[in-house]
Structures are given as C-alpha cells and as structure tokens.
Amino acid sequence: MSYRSFSHFLTALENAGELQRIATPVATELEITAWADREMKTPGGGKALLFERPTVGGQVSRYPLAINTMGSERRMALALGLENVGELAQKMELLMKAKPPTSLRSAWNLALQGLGLLHAKPTKVREAECQEVVLLPGEPGFETLSANPATLAGLPILQCWPQDGGRFLTFPCVHTRDPDTGERNLGMYRMQVYDGQTTGMHWQVHKVGARHGKRYYERGERMPVAVTLGGDPAYTFAATAPLPDGLDEILFAGYIRQRSVELVKCRTIDLEVPADVDFVLEGYVQPGEMRPEGPFGDHTGFYTPLDDYPVFHLTAITHRANPVYPCTIVGIPPMEDFYMGSASVRIFLPVFRMNFPEIVDLALPPEGVFHNLVFVSIKKQYPWQAYKIMHALWSMGQMMFTKYIIVVDDDCNVHNTSEVLFRLCANTDPQRDSLFTKNPTDALDHAPNYPNLGTHLGIDATRKLPSEGYHRAWPELVKLPPEVLAKVDAMRNGVG
Ligand SMILES: Cc1cc2nc3c(=O)[nH]c(=O)nc-3n(C[C@H](O)[C@H](O)[C@H](O)COP(=O)(O)O)c2cc1C
Ligand SMILES: [Mn+2]
C-alpha cells in the first residue's frame, strides 16, 4: 500500500476515524503546540490534527498544516500502509530466516535486497507533482527578487515553545549525497528559520548528513541539499529510521510501501527527490559556514541551548498545487516521535535477533526518550551473557547512545515498565550487577559535563547462575497454576 500524496494519507486517516479537522484559525506561535501536546498526551496518542487555517503573525497561511499524523500505533501502521506494524516485522523475520546473513551489515543489505526490493528500486520521472508550482530565484541576487520569490515566509512553520530561538521546520526530510561514492542519504534534521532564505541545519555530529557535510568541507565544495516535506509518509518515517550509513532510505521506503519511489531532478541543484512530496526546498550548505542554532524545546523535554551548526541557503521552493504542510512537536514525553521510534524498534528487532539470537524482546520506554533507557529480555544460556548483550547494543548503530541498559530474563515483559522495575529491584545486587562504561553520548544529553561524552550503565537483572558465582538457591516467583486461574476466571465472570 502506498500513498500518492500526504493528502491521500490524511484522507485514509480520516476514513479510519483517526483525523480531526480544525477550521478555526489557530496560531503557529505556541497555540498549535498547546493543542497538539494535549492530543499527544491523550492515552493512545489521540488523533491526527488537520489545522485548515493556521495563522502566521495573525495572517491565515495559504497552506493547511497537519500534526500528530503518526502519533499512535494505528496511525503509525497506516502510515506504512499496514494494519499492524508487526506485519512488516514478520516480513523482515522471514527474510532473515530465508537466507541467514553473516554480519549485521549483510543482514541490513539482505533486508533491503529481499523480495520487496523488486518494488524498491527507484525510477526516474521528468514530470512531477512536487513541481506543479515552482518558485525560482530567476535572476542572480535572488534575495532582492520580488516578483515571485521563493521564501519560507509563507509556510505555517511553528514556533513550538516559548523560549525557542524562532520557528523550526520539525518534519524535514533532508536529502544529501556522499561526494565520494554518490550514495544517497535521507535523514530528519530540524531546521531553524533565520529568514526567508536561510535556516539552520541541525545534523548532529554522529549523523550521516554531518559526515557527508564534512567530506564536502574537506573537498572545499558547496554541498547541494534538498529538503522534502510530505508525500508518502513512508519517506518521513524512513528519514528517522536508524539505518546504517550507506543504506539508502529511499530504497527502504520503496521496500516498506511495496512500490518503487519515483524520483525527479531538482530544478536548481543536482539532487533527486521523490516526485510525490508536497514541498521541496532546494538549496546548499557552504563549507565552513556555521551559525548559532537554538534554543529549542527538544525530545528530552528540556531546551537544547545554542550551539553552532551549518547554514542552509534556499535556492528554490517547488510544491504541489494543493500541498499540506507536515510537522510535529517534541518535548516532555510521550510525544508523536515515541510511536515512530517504537515502530523502528519493532521492525528492526529481527535484524538484532539474527545477530544476537538470545535477544527475545526490546523496548525503549517513552520516559527514556530513545537514548536514555533500553529494556532488553534475553534467554540466558551461559554466564555473563547479559554483559555480552549490553556490549552488543552499545556497538549497534544509534543504540550506542543508550545511557541505561537493563537486561532481564525472557519471562519478563519489557513493554511493561512496572514488571521491569520489579525485576530490577528484586534480582540485583547493585555493585555486583552493574557495569559502567564509556561510549559516544547523544548530542542532546545535557547531563554529562561535556557534550557527546558520557558514561553508560548496564544492569544485569537476570536470575543469577551458580556459574556466575551465585551459590544460594535462586527462589521461584510466586504464581498460581493456570488451571486454577482459568477456573476462577470463569467463576468470576459468572458473578453479576
Ligand atoms: C521529529 C524528529 C526530529 C529529529 N531531529 C533531529 C535533529 O534535529 N538532528 C539530528 O541529528 N537528528 C534528529 N532526529 C533523529 C534522526 O532523524 C535519526 O537519528 C535518523 O536516523 C538520522 O538518519 P541518518 O543516520 O541517515 O543520519 C530527529 C528525529 C525525529 C523523529
Ligand atoms: Mn542514513
């Protein structure tokens, strides 16, 4: 299942009873945040919101705005054209079983080159909906061109939180290319609006966009960057998915939606973008140019302070005849991004398990905001296996950032935080069962003394084996036999 446009997806949400339209004008300055935050904090994630008349500085914008479109399990599944994200996880698992990969990297490659890849390879087109309207600089001195200038000023870009440094694009899909290999990357990095033609480009040091940027700086070449908004939500999801460097998110999106992505050449830069997106911001990043970015009310629930980041210069905007502006807000969890992150974990769990078969399940609880806390359950077979899994996770892509890893036995449901805390408290001797280590740290973590450098803690909350030095008899959990439970359940149902 694929969507022809962002609107097509919104119609599907509406038909599924998952979308609320708001016709009253609502301000992009804080008010949409206040509305969406309440919706996102409704148990289960509330509904997607389509603001038909968002206002910018008191003026109704030409473009409607949609938010919280992936902020529930059901909407996340619908975004991927599925009834349930488990279907895709299952497909990945079958793929892994059909031809076991020999390494993590080959597992990823296999996942992408498998059955679905018949549909995944992108094709090229000359005519594209995303270029129905083209706002070009026309002449040199683009900034001074007034006839039909490309400017961000018309877009309903949110000022999310009171102390934010300005307006931020919060759902931008940033397309770049490795200047050495030509490999494509699609990543989601927020963009702070400085003026109608310039923004920040917040790719953190660990991300692929930043690595591509570094190569352009070293070569002293101007870096073309295309930013897309909307289109099939598979692109937006793929931009956030933690694929390893070198694996093409456009292929991955084609695999998800079982239909190849049609690409069209940009008008002012040498990059290609999906033809069916709603908006394209074409532009470049100039090597060495940095500018303070922030503050920004971030995923962590705190404001990220000012820091220097590259600058994006706009050279053109193209868009559909009737585009919808997509966005999200981040802040104190749970927010929409929790459902996106959970879908990623679910889909890629088979890849983890192929390499570390003792892993049973894995959860990133919302309180941990992705990188602070991971619960993992394992089938323990030999001594200190919990430590092996900690090291495995700390070496696996963006899992490297995880501040706290708690390992439990396979009979503990990692999606139930209360169950995990019970095991943590009951099954550990704090000193014996803790492992402190050093590893790269999420750029957003404000707790360490220095950015990007922090310690990490793994706790082994599994039951201990004699071979691990535990020579007392490990006690049994207090439980009733299933037949007694079944009988009493039947009796209780019969009462009243
Ligand atoms: C709503 C949202 C906003 C994000 N903003 C940023 C950001 O500003 N900078 C950043 O480096 N990562 C950000 N991320 C995380 C990246 O999109 C994510 O790490 C992605 O896997 C990076 O892709 P890459 O490995 O191709 O660089 C954001 C994720 C979401 C869901
Ligand atoms: Mn990538």
Side-chain angles (χ1 to χ4, degrees):
M1 171 70 196
S2 62
Y3 296 101
R4 292 184 304 275
S5 64
F6 190 46
S7 295
H8 183 204
F9 170 52
L10 296 177
T11 305
L13 291 182
E14 191 160 34
N15 293 340
E18 287 281 334
L19 181 118
Q20 188 187 353
R21 284 176 184 271
I22 295 139
T24 14
V26 183
T28 53
E29 305 86 10
L30 307 187
E31 289 184 4
I32 288 179
T33 298
W35 197 312
D37 189 35
R38 287 185 192 186
E39 199 66 29
M40 290 179 194
K41 292 201 170 38
T42 310
K47 291 197 178 190
L49 303 174
L50 178 59
F51 290 92
E52 293 174 332
R53 292 149 115 171
T55 65
V56 178
Q59 300 277 321
V60 174
S61 167
R62 245 180 306 161
Y63 310 110
L65 171 157
I67 192 164
N68 203 22
T69 52
M70 294 189 230
S72 75
E73 268 184 44
R74 177 147 164 73
R75 289 198 296 285
M76 189 57 248
L78 287 170
L80 305 181
L82 303 166
E83 272 304 309
N84 187 313
V85 172
E87 294 165 36
L88 188 54
Q90 217 165 27
K91 229 174 77 182
M92 294 286 273
E93 190 152 356
L94 287 177
L95 212 60
M96 299 281 133
K97 282 202 175 126
K99 200 173 158 218
T102 51
S103 70
L104 193 57
R105 199 178 165 82
S106 78
W108 284 105
N109 277 319
L110 189 75
L112 295 178
Q113 281 160 15
L115 311 169
L117 204 66
L118 296 174
H119 309 276
K121 212 168 167 327
T123 56
K124 309 217 166 160
V125 294
R126 291 174 150 275
E127 302 262 303
E129 300 92 315
C130 70
Q131 294 177 343
E132 279 167 351
V133 177
V134 178
L135 304 173
L136 283 171
E139 303 289 332
F142 171 45
E143 304 77 7
T144 59
L145 191 83
S146 56
N148 193 20
T151 169
L152 296 169
L155 290 172
I157 303 172
L158 298 185
Q159 181 187 341
C160 301
W161 300 102
Q163 290 166 47
D164 281 4
R167 296 178 187 273
F168 286 79
L169 293 140
T170 52
F171 247 4
C173 299
V174 179
H175 303 249
T176 57
R177 210 174 40 216
D178 185 324
D180 301 315
T181 64
E183 279 170 348
R184 227 189 329 250
N185 193 68
L186 174 58
M188 176 170 291
Y189 320 114
R190 72 167 184 246
M191 295 160 67
Q192 176 175 2
V193 177
Y194 295 131
D195 59 45
Q197 276 83 35
T198 46
T199 75
M201 181 50 77
H202 189 258
W203 48 51
Q204 294 152 9
V205 60
H206 308 102
K207 305 301 167 76
V208 178
R211 190 184 66 73
H212 286 181
K214 188 159 178 285
R215 285 300 297 138
Y216 280 96
Y217 312 156
E218 285 162 0
R219 294 161 65 114
E221 291 167 23
R222 175 179 273 202
M223 175 184 195
V225 177
V227 179
T228 61
L229 300 166
D232 191 320
Y235 310 141
T236 307
F237 175 71
T240 68
L243 298 184
D245 192 350
L247 284 192
D248 183 352
E249 284 87 358
I250 294 286
L251 275 185
F252 180 60
Y255 173 74
I256 294 174
R257 59 185 222 142
Q258 294 291 295
R259 200 173 132 219
S260 59
V261 178
E262 293 185 341
L263 294 175
V264 68
K265 262 179 104 65
C266 286
R267 293 298 179 92
T268 58
I269 50 171
D270 184 20
L271 283 177
E272 293 165 330
V273 291
D276 59 355
V277 295
D278 286 57
F279 292 93
V280 186
L281 314 180
E282 302 183 6
Y284 63 90
V285 164
Q286 189 65 35
E289 184 186 5
M290 303 287 267
R291 187 166 165 174
E293 197 267 5
F296 180 65
D298 225 315
H299 301 270
T300 56
F302 292 85
Y303 286 99
T304 303
L306 278 176
D307 196 4
D308 282 347
Y309 273 90
V311 180
F312 172 79
H313 296 269
L314 191 71
T315 56
I317 297 181
T318 73
H319 65 79
R320 290 177 165 270
N322 291 301
V324 179
Y325 175 78
C327 64
T328 193
I329 51 165
V330 297
I332 296 174
M335 287 287 194
E336 178 172 14
D337 55 355
F338 167 69
Y339 296 95
M340 303 171 75
S342 300
S344 273
V345 171
R346 185 111 189 252
I347 293 165
F348 300 133
L349 186 60
V351 181
F352 293 180
R353 284 171 56 179
M354 183 46 66
N355 288 270
F356 306 104
E358 60 271 66
I359 293 182
V360 175
D361 206 353
L362 198 125
L364 278 57
E367 296 82 358
V369 200
F370 306 118
H371 303 314
N372 288 344
L373 187 58
V374 167
F375 299 154
V376 56
S377 58
I378 63 167
K379 228 176 171 51
K380 187 160 82 172
Q381 188 188 336
Y382 49 81
W384 285 12
Q385 199 164 358
Y387 298 100
K388 172 206 166 185
I389 290 307
M390 294 172 200
H391 293 297
L393 294 178
W394 280 323
S395 68
M396 214 157 36
Q398 294 180 37
M399 280 280 174
M400 71 180 168
F401 298 131
T402 311
K403 187 147 53 163
Y404 298 99
I405 297 179
I406 297 173
V407 188
V408 292
D409 288 308
D410 60 327
D411 60 344
C412 174
N413 176 9
V414 292
H415 301 285
N416 182 337
T417 297
S418 162
E419 249 186 70
V420 176
L421 292 180
F422 168 65
R423 302 293 178 114
L424 169 72
C425 297
N427 283 359
T428 58
D429 172 87
Q431 189 159 33
R432 182 196 62 199
D433 295 329
S434 310
L435 171 71
F436 285 95
T437 192
K438 295 174 181 173
N439 224 37
T441 295
D442 180 26
L444 301 183
D445 189 349
H446 62 263
N449 289 345
Y450 300 99
N452 305 319
L453 302 173
T455 61
H456 300 234
L457 170 62
I459 303 177
D460 174 5
T462 60
R463 69 177 73 84
K464 303 303 174 303
L465 307 171
S467 51
E468 292 175 317
Y470 185 82
H471 291 296
R472 304 164 66 193
W474 194 271
E476 285 291 310
L477 271 174
V478 178
K479 278 189 199 161
L480 283 166
E483 57 280 10
V484 176
L485 284 173
K487 184 176 171 193
V488 172
D489 278 346
M491 285 160 66
R492 292 177 75 218
N493 289 338
V495 177

